[in-house]
């Protein structure tokens, strides 16, 4: 009977150990979890995934920082501009998706994404309706660039003198953001109705959307979850000079497919940048006690053409490339000489930093990043940081430009950030705990195998001990 028990325990221990190792090698339970995650990450009406995508619960904040010019007269004489950063002016951003429609048997979803901004005085340095900023007079600069060497050049000069416009203007933060009626643009509007008489960086962008998007639902392939396939009724852009640069790649940056690996590129389409871009793995971390991978824009995205020849398509007109870290988007901004970069020209050519006194690029404050949970693809923390600059130069046809140097002049930058809320974090922790329990089953089996193995060894040792004692007694009796 004892032998039978001994054999049973030994066989059970060996079986459990072999089973656990086989399950670990085959990743059986990990595959079960992966399959559940894939099946659950689909845009389908009535699901938690769809509800979170339609109206994301974590609060989004938009912070605006302005560069106030402190030496305008010296700049017109050719000196280095001196700017002072003023901000943040913080707004809560509400961005629900509306007019959602399912297309092609649920494989695609169309939606509008209007954004509404509400001022948050407690998170701001001042009152945007009162605080004044001296900056580049973008309507005047744009009008001069539009009309130089054209029959309208003289008329523009007359209007600039009549309205006493100069290269710099003083406006409130509210006017610069949400718009003010510009006299010069109002006159041009009479001849060209397509020109808006109101100028503001976010003019007509509060409570409005940037066009209809069509997303893939992830129904047929989890890798396509929330990937954009159309924007404004088109499958590609038309601003740039190559097919690759005009591609609409990736999601809108608010959601991603599950099961993200460190060696993949994360693609995002941004209508603010007028292009698609990609991010690469940077580091691993924790947000609210949840594991994350941090992705940041690749250095190749805004590299000059000698480093990344593929970026030649973003040089408009062809061959007109501003340098590393800066993107000329005038072609998609009605011809206004707008150049985009990271705040304080972070990771841009050093010449841009040195051309303006007051630039202090720092990774911590000026880098765009995404902290994503790799299992679910959920964004736990993110910051989109973008600087708006104006290309200025001396135009002999217009005395208003004085002797100013040719500069990419910083005007303002934004920090659009999000951090997962406590309720959403607790839900995600529960999901991850369940996944850990399932994937931990082989280790439980292995532990049981080890326990039974120890029991088996103890029983063997004890049975041998009893046998030896019996022999000694037998020898003594003889």
């Amino acid at each position: 009977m004892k032998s039978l028990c001994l054999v049973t325990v030994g066989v059970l221990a060996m079986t459990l150990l072999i089973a656990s190792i086989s399950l670990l090698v085959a990743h059986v339970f990990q595959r079960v979890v992966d399959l559940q995650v894939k099946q659950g990450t689909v845009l389908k009406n009535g699901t938690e995934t769809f509800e979170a995508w339609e109206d994301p619960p974590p609060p989004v904040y938009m912070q605006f920082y302005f560069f106030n010019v402190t030496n305008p007269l010296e700049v017109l004489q050719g000196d280095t501009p001196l700017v002072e950063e003023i901000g943040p002016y913080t707004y809560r951003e509400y961005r629900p998706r509306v007019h959602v429609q399912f297309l092609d048997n649920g494989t695609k979803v169309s939606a509008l994404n209007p954004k509404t901004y509400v001022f948050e005085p407690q998170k701001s340095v001042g009152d945007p309706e009162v605080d004044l900023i001296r900056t580049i007079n973008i309507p005047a600069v744009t009008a001069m660039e539009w009309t130089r060497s054209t029959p309208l050049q003289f008329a523009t000069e007359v209007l600039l003198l009549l309205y006493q416009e100069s290269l710099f203007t003083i406006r409130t933060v509210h006017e610069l953001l949400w718009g003010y009626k510009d006299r010069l643009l109002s006159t041009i509007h009479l001849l060209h109705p397509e020109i808006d008489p109101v100028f503001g960086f976010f003019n007509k962008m509060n409570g409005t959307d940037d066009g209809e998007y069509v997303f893939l639902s992830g129904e047929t392939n989890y890798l396509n979850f929330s990937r954009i396939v159309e924007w404004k009724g088109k499958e590609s852009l038309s601003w740039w000079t190559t097919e690759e640069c005009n591609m609409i790649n990736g999601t809108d940056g608010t959601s991603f497919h599950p099961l993200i690996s460190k060696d993949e590129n994360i693609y995002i389409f941004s209508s603010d940048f007028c292009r698609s871009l990609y991010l690469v793995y940077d580091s691993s971390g924790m947000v609210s006690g949840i594991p994350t991978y941090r992705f940041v824009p690749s250095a190749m995205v805004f590299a000059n053409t000698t480093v990344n020849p593929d970026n030649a398509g973003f040089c408009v007109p062809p061959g007109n490339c501003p340098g590393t870290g800066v993107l000329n988007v005038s072609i998609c901004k009605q011809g206004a000489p707008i150049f985009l970069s990271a705040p304080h020209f972070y990771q841009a050519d050093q010449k841009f930093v040195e051309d303006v006194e007051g630039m202090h690029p720092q990774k911590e404050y000026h880098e765009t990043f995404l902290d994503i949970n790799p299992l679910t693809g959920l964004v736990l923390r993110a910051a989109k940081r973008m600087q708006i600059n104006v290309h200025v130069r001396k135009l002999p046809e217009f005395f208003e430009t004085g002797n100013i140097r040719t500069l990419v002049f910083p005007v303002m930058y934004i920090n659009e950030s999000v951090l997962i809320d406590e309720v959403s974090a607790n839900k995600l922790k529960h999901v991850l705990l369940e996944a850990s329990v399932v994937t931990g089953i082989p280790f439980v089996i292995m532990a049981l195998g080890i326990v039974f193995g120890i029991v088996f060894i103890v029983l063997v040792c004890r049975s041998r001990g009893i046998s030896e004692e019996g022999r000694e007694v037998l020898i003594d009796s003889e």
Side-chain angles (χ1 to χ4, degrees), residues 213-284:
Y213 289 83
V214 177
F215 307 86
L216 293 178
S217 67
E219 180 76 40
T220 57
N221 188 337
Y222 79 97
L223 293 173
N224 289 330
F225 173 73
S226 72
R227 184 168 70 84
I228 300 168
V229 291
E230 285 184 28
W231 178 55
K232 290 186 174 181
K234 297 182 179 180
E235 296 181 356
S236 62
L237 307 175
S238 57
W239 296 309
W240 311 112
T241 59
T242 65
E243 184 177 342
E244 182 180 358
C245 291
N246 279 317
M247 292 176 67
I248 297 177
N249 290 327
T251 73
D252 61 3
T254 61
S255 56
F256 299 93
H257 68 79
L259 308 179
I260 289 176
S261 65
K262 294 179 180 180
D263 56 355
E264 71 175 287
N265 296 331
I266 299 295
Y267 285 87
I268 294 174
F269 169 71
S270 172
S271 62
D272 295 330
F273 280 98
C274 306
R275 59 166 291 183
S276 301
L277 56 149
Y278 68 93
L279 294 82
V280 296
Y281 172 81
D282 178 69
S283 59
S284 298

Side-chain angles (χ1 to χ4, degrees), residues 64-69 84 86 89 91 127-139 167-182 198-205 338 388 390 410-414:
F64 299 97
Y65 297 81
F66 289 85
F67 295 109
N68 187 57
V69 183
E84 174 191 12
I86 299 177
Y89 295 90
Y91 292 76
D127 186 346
E129 307 235 7
V130 175
D131 295 357
L132 296 173
I133 303 293
R134 182 190 286 113
T135 188
I136 292 291
N137 187 342
I138 295 179
L167 194 66
F168 294 96
T169 185
I170 298 176
R171 295 286 176 178
T172 66
V173 168
H174 183 85
E175 287 177 320
L176 290 172
L177 285 177
W178 311 115
Y180 62 93
K181 191 168 185 179
D182 184 81
V198 177
F199 171 79
F201 293 111
F202 282 72
N203 176 37
K204 296 180 180 178
M205 293 175 67
I338 301 296
I388 298 173
V390 181
V411 177
M412 63 167 289
Y413 74 87
I414 66 171

